[in-house]
Amino acid sequence: MNANKYNILIVEDEYINSEYLRHVLIKLGFETIYCVTNAHDALELVLKNSIDFAFMDINIDGAIDGIMCAKLLNQKYNLPIIYTTAYSDSTTISEASDTNIYGYLIKPFDTKDIEVICKIVLKTAFKNRVKNNDESVITICENYKYNTQTNHLL
């Protein structure tokens, strides 16, 4: 897993959970990790930084919960979301599944859970992504590529 080339966002309002997740991601080789506690800061951060995927708690600070934050993020960005939550009821899972969900970790989770979900995201969401002069290019098929930075079909 070539983790150091990916930028990760953690949206978590509980400091211990955020730091634990950040620490595990660093041990897995991720270098650029942003941590925020609410939807407003998450939206601002993604606007100003290139984020590859996010760990999103469902119950976060502020009026906007994690599921709505993920929906707002995906109106503009195709950001893979990994939910980290204590909620495992079918209603919450169903609501979360309407977003760009790549994983759902039930708290408490451990290092192995985080490692496995990261491998899944990197393998599924980014299998066709290559870096081309610092621009993200996704190969659609043999003759077509899509630049996510410029929103152009190549």
Side-chain angles (χ1 to χ4, degrees), residues 69-89:
C69 180
K71 288 178 182 179
L72 292 170
L73 286 169
N74 283 303
Q75 286 176 356
K76 214 173 202 184
Y77 314 96
N78 190 25
L79 190 64
I81 303 293
I82 301 164
Y83 287 102
T84 60
T85 185
Y87 299 104
S88 61
D89 61 281

Side-chain angles (χ1 to χ4, degrees), residues 12-29:
E12 169 65 68
D13 62 346
E14 293 180 25
Y15 179 77
I16 293 172
N17 290 336
S18 178
E19 280 301 298
Y20 172 72
L21 184 52
R22 189 181 70 78
H23 176 73
V24 170
L25 292 169
I26 289 169
K27 283 178 63 175
L28 292 173

Side-chain angles (χ1 to χ4, degrees), residues 11 25 34 50 69 125 144:
V11 184
L25 292 169
Y34 301 93
S50 174
C69 180
Y144 295 100

Side-chain angles (χ1 to χ4, degrees), residues 63-112:
I64 300 173
D65 70 6
I67 294 172
M68 181 53 72
C69 180
K71 288 178 182 179
L72 292 170
L73 286 169
N74 283 303
Q75 286 176 356
K76 214 173 202 184
Y77 314 96
N78 190 25
L79 190 64
I81 303 293
I82 301 164
Y83 287 102
T84 60
T85 185
Y87 299 104
S88 61
D89 61 281
S90 59
T91 303
T92 303
I93 293 170
S94 177
E95 190 178 344
S97 68
D98 290 335
T99 64
N100 196 21
I101 185 172
Y102 275 75
Y104 199 94
L105 295 174
I106 306 293
K107 294 176 183 176
F109 45 83
D110 62 22
T111 302
K112 197 66 175 164

Side-chain angles (χ1 to χ4, degrees), residues 51-71:
I51 302 297
D52 293 299
F53 63 98
F55 284 87
M56 179 78 65
D57 187 15
I58 289 177
N59 188 19
I60 55 176
D61 284 341
I64 300 173
D65 70 6
I67 294 172
M68 181 53 72
C69 180
K71 288 178 182 179

